[in-house]
Each structure stands twice: as C-alpha cells, then as structure tokens.
C-alpha cells in the first residue's frame, strides 16, 4: 500500500514517514500542497496524511476541491487546531479522520492502516491464479500448497501482477506502485525482483516477459 505524507515540518514529516515505513507501507513525502498535488495527480495512493496548515494554504480547501472532482482517496488530517468546530470542518470538507497534535506516531500509523483497510475492503483479500495463492491480509504466498518466503518488494510486485491476471504491466507502472518516487524509472530493479520471484515460484513459469514493455502473470505455457 502506498501513502503520501504532506507535512512542512521536516522533523515531524520524517517521524511520520519512518513509522509508516516500519509498518510495511510505501511512503512518499511532500512539504506543501503544490508538491502533493503533482504527486497525487501522477500516481495512485491508498491514503494521504495531510498537515492542515501548509506554506501554500489550508489543506482542507484542497481536499474539498478534489472531493468535488470525484477523488476518493482516504485522508487523515494532522493539526494543532483542536476545537470541535475545526474537527467538524475537517470531516465536512472531505477528511476521513482527524488527529490533533501532539500525537503518538504509533496511533497515527494505526489510523492510517484502518483507513487503508476500509478503502480496500471491496477487493478480495485472497487472490488466486492457477495454483498460486496470495493472501494479501496475512501477506502469505503459496504455490501448489507450499508456503513461500518472499521479501517485501517481491510480495508487492507479485500482489500487483496477480491482481491484474493476463494483463501486460509495464516496468514503469510497477516502479510507480511498488517503489517510492526516488526510484529511477530506468533502473533494472523490477527485472532483478522478477528474476528472484521466478526462482522462488519455480516451474512451470507464471510470470512471462512482454518484450519492450514489462511482465504478465499468466498460466503456464
């Protein structure tokens, strides 16, 4: 799951990001609304953690405008504004949760995970293709009933592919959804992870190369 943290206080942004990374989420960062908007317009996110008061405005106004355009990504507001009126305004303008500063980063992370779970509840937690089973909730993978041990990146790539069976998925798309924004889209990180996955999944091969594009999860040839 991919989360955007929008906070202009560098120390707090680092603390929030570190906590979320430690819980297994992929995290991108922005220090103002303009940078966040550019990233949110270019990629898919499962949750956004917004500080309310940012250098270029109140995030509530930005979220409200995006909600009017049909944007449905869950939003957690972080703010020092603790009055009932402020909290009500946060929910009324499109926020899904509201956490008053100072807060425990562990609680913040738990709230983010809860938002991500609710947003993704429509997607099956167990995905199957041929004799491959991916349990997204328990983060377990089995092939022909045998439990496999995967790294976080291997699991992320396989989960993304199995959710799109028989579809060609580009390397740039995999980087966008399984790595953070600092990863060079021309790097061979995807090929390295796919090679490791093929070894662990064993024969017959399920991840097929689409020349000049990327990969496809399909039945054995």
């Amino acid at each position: 799951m991919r989360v955007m943290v929008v906070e202009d206080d560098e120390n707090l942004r680092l603390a929030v990001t570190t906590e979320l990374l430690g819980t297994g989420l992929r995290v991108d960062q922005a220090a103002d609304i303009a940078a966040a908007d550019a990233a949110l317009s270019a990629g898919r996110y499962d949750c956004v953690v917004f500080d309310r008061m940012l250098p270029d405005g109140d995030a509530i106004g930005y979220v409200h405008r995006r909600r009017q355009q049909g944007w449905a990504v869950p939003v957690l507001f972080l703010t020092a504004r603790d009055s009932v009126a402020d909290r009500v305004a946060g929910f009324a303008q499109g926020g899904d949760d509201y956490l008053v500063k100072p807060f425990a980063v562990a609680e913040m992370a738990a709230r983010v995970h809860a938002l991500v779970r609710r947003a993704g509840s429509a997607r099956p937690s167990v995905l199957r293709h041929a004799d491959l089973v991916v349990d997204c909730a328990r983060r377990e993978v089995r092939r022909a009933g045998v439990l496999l041990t995967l790294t976080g990146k291997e699991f992320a790539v396989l989960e993304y592919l199995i959710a799109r069976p028989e579809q060609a998925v580009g390397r740039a798309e995999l980087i966008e959804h399984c790595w953070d924004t600092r990863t060079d889209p021309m790097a061979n990180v995807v090929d390295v992870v796919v090679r490791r996955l093929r070894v662990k999944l064993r024969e017959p091969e399920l991840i097929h190369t689409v020349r000049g594009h990327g990969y496809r999860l399909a039945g054995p040839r």
Side-chain angles (χ1 to χ4, degrees):
M1 295 296 155
R2 190 177 181 191
V3 175
M4 167 67 70
V5 174
V6 190
E7 168 63 64
D8 60 322
D9 182 319
E10 185 175 358
N11 291 332
L12 181 56
R13 187 171 69 246
L14 178 60
V16 168
T17 298
T18 301
E19 182 70 20
L20 293 174
L21 287 170
T23 64
L25 297 173
R26 296 186 294 279
V27 184
D28 296 329
Q29 305 174 48
D32 54 38
I33 294 172
D37 182 59
L40 293 170
S41 299
R44 185 188 68 83
Y45 288 86
D46 299 286
C47 184
V48 183
V49 179
F50 262 115
D51 180 26
R52 264 200 63 174
M53 301 310 299
L54 293 162
D56 48 355
D58 188 337
I60 276 186
Y62 171 79
V63 171
H64 179 61
R65 291 192 298 274
R66 292 296 300 265
R67 292 295 192 230
Q68 290 180 317
Q69 298 165 2
W71 189 62
V73 177
V75 169
L76 167 62
F77 284 120
L78 307 177
T79 180
R81 307 176 82 167
D82 60 353
S83 72
V84 172
D86 284 322
R87 294 197 296 272
V88 169
F91 288 114
Q93 298 300 314
D96 298 279
D97 201 355
Y98 198 98
L99 191 57
V100 175
K101 300 176 181 177
F103 54 83
V105 289
E107 179 186 357
M108 175 277 307
R111 288 172 181 261
V112 169
H113 277 274
L115 291 175
V116 169
R117 281 197 305 273
R118 288 201 293 271
S121 60
R123 188 185 74 174
S125 62
V126 178
L127 303 172
R128 294 178 171 86
H129 189 81
D131 60 351
L132 179 66
V133 179
V134 176
D135 188 326
C136 303
R138 301 177 66 179
R139 297 184 68 79
E140 290 183 352
V141 175
R142 295 177 186 271
R143 177 109 196 249
V146 178
L147 181 64
L148 308 179
T149 302
L150 304 185
T151 67
K153 279 291 181 283
E154 290 164 357
F155 184 91
V157 169
L158 184 60
E159 180 185 25
Y160 196 80
L161 290 173
I162 198 172
R164 295 154 185 81
E166 307 292 343
Q167 296 181 28
V169 178
R171 291 176 176 84
E173 183 178 349
L174 285 167
I175 286 177
E176 177 186 339
H177 291 279
C178 301
W179 277 265
D180 59 40
T181 54
R182 296 184 295 275
T183 302
D184 180 358
M186 301 304 292
N188 70 338
V189 289
V190 174
D191 299 331
V192 171
V193 169
V194 168
R195 280 199 298 271
R196 296 201 307 253
L197 271 173
R198 283 171 167 163
V199 170
K200 292 182 178 182
L201 292 173
R202 303 187 305 277
E203 298 289 341
E205 188 172 283
L206 291 177
I207 302 177
H208 306 289
T209 300
V210 179
R211 291 189 181 277
H213 184 67
Y215 299 95
R216 175 190 291 114
L217 186 79
R221 288 171 178 164

